Amino acid sequence: MDVALQLFAAQGVAATPITAIEAGAGLSPGSGSFYRHFKDKSELLSAVVEREMIRVRKDPDAQVSAAPPSRSPTEALAIQLKADLDFLKELLPLMAILMWERGRELDLAHRVQDTMVERGVELGIADLLLKAPAAAVKEDAAAAATVMMSAMVGYFLSVEYFGQPPAGVEPERFTGMLARLLIDETEN
């Protein structure tokens, strides 16, 4: 599955021959060894994505306590957001596969979306409400968490795509500003 993850991320499922997966996994290419493990590439893709989804699920207790308790709520959220940006790097192969496969494996895309968006929003709400949320966050925590998650993913993908931070805004500066927008600093 590790070989498939890397090959699928690099060239997509359709362009990845089974013989390449066999060779990368140390199996004899063309021997049919692949089929002793999976019925086809679609089943392998499903297994790879499911494994990645299990691996990337976050523990809510760890999520909201990434920063030392001595930090202000704004600093604590900024530290958590920076950790989340680093965590997104681990998801890059999965993101690449989803981009390659968009429109083809709809069930798979919906499972990933449900897990990542719902979990991201759920944990985002916990992060925000356990700190000192700004008035707008208190009014609609789910929308605020969605904005936070979307900003994080957008920033991350922009850095990955262009190879540099947008407008030269480094990750610490970006996460610090996002935290300041979401936290009521008068409660700090």
Side-chain angles (χ1 to χ4, degrees), residues 13-30:
V13 175
T16 301
I18 289 175
T19 53
I21 297 167
E22 289 173 324
L27 303 171
S28 183

Side-chain angles (χ1 to χ4, degrees), residues 1 31 38 42 45 52 75 95 107 137 141 143 148 186-187:
M1 286 199 286
S31 68
F38 300 97
S42 183
L45 172 63
E52 289 300 292
E75 291 171 325
M95 289 180 199
D107 258 5
V137 173
M148 180 175 73
T186 62
E187 291 187 33

Side-chain angles (χ1 to χ4, degrees), residues 31-176:
S31 68
S33 299
F34 171 88
Y35 297 104
R36 284 190 276 262
H37 303 278
F38 300 97
K39 82 175 180 186
D40 56 23
K41 286 192 288 185
S42 183
E43 184 178 271
L44 173 59
L45 172 63
S46 184
V48 165
V49 170
E50 187 60 35
R51 183 190 73 170
E52 289 300 292
M53 293 307 300
I54 290 168
R55 187 181 70 77
V56 302
R57 284 190 178 98
K58 295 183 190 177
D59 174 8
D61 294 332
Q63 176 80 2
V64 296
S65 62
S70 62
R71 299 292 183 122
S72 73
T74 303
E75 291 171 325
L77 182 59
I79 289 168
Q80 180 61 55
L81 293 173
K82 177 63 173 75
D84 287 349
L85 278 179
D86 294 339
F87 180 73
L88 284 172
K89 286 183 190 297
E90 294 180 40
L91 297 179
L92 202 51
L94 180 59
M95 289 180 199
I97 290 170
L98 293 174
M99 290 303 296
W100 280 108
E101 297 308 309
R102 71 182 178 276
R104 283 191 280 264
E105 296 280 347
L106 296 178
D107 258 5
L108 197 61
H110 290 298
R111 276 195 345 231
V112 171
Q113 179 184 25
D114 289 346
T115 300
M116 294 185 79
V117 171
E118 288 176 17
R119 195 72 174 140
V121 170
E122 178 185 320
L123 292 175
I125 291 169
D127 271 347
L128 292 172
L129 294 180
L130 286 176
K131 299 197 178 7
V137 173
K138 289 176 187 175
E139 288 174 23
D140 192 346
T146 301
V147 167
M148 180 175 73
M149 182 184 69
S150 298
M152 294 288 290
V153 171
Y155 178 87
F156 173 79
L157 291 176
S158 182
V159 170
E160 286 299 316
Y161 185 79
F162 296 112
Q164 60 187 9
V169 176
E170 295 298 326
E172 292 77 12
R173 191 169 149 213
F174 168 77
T175 56

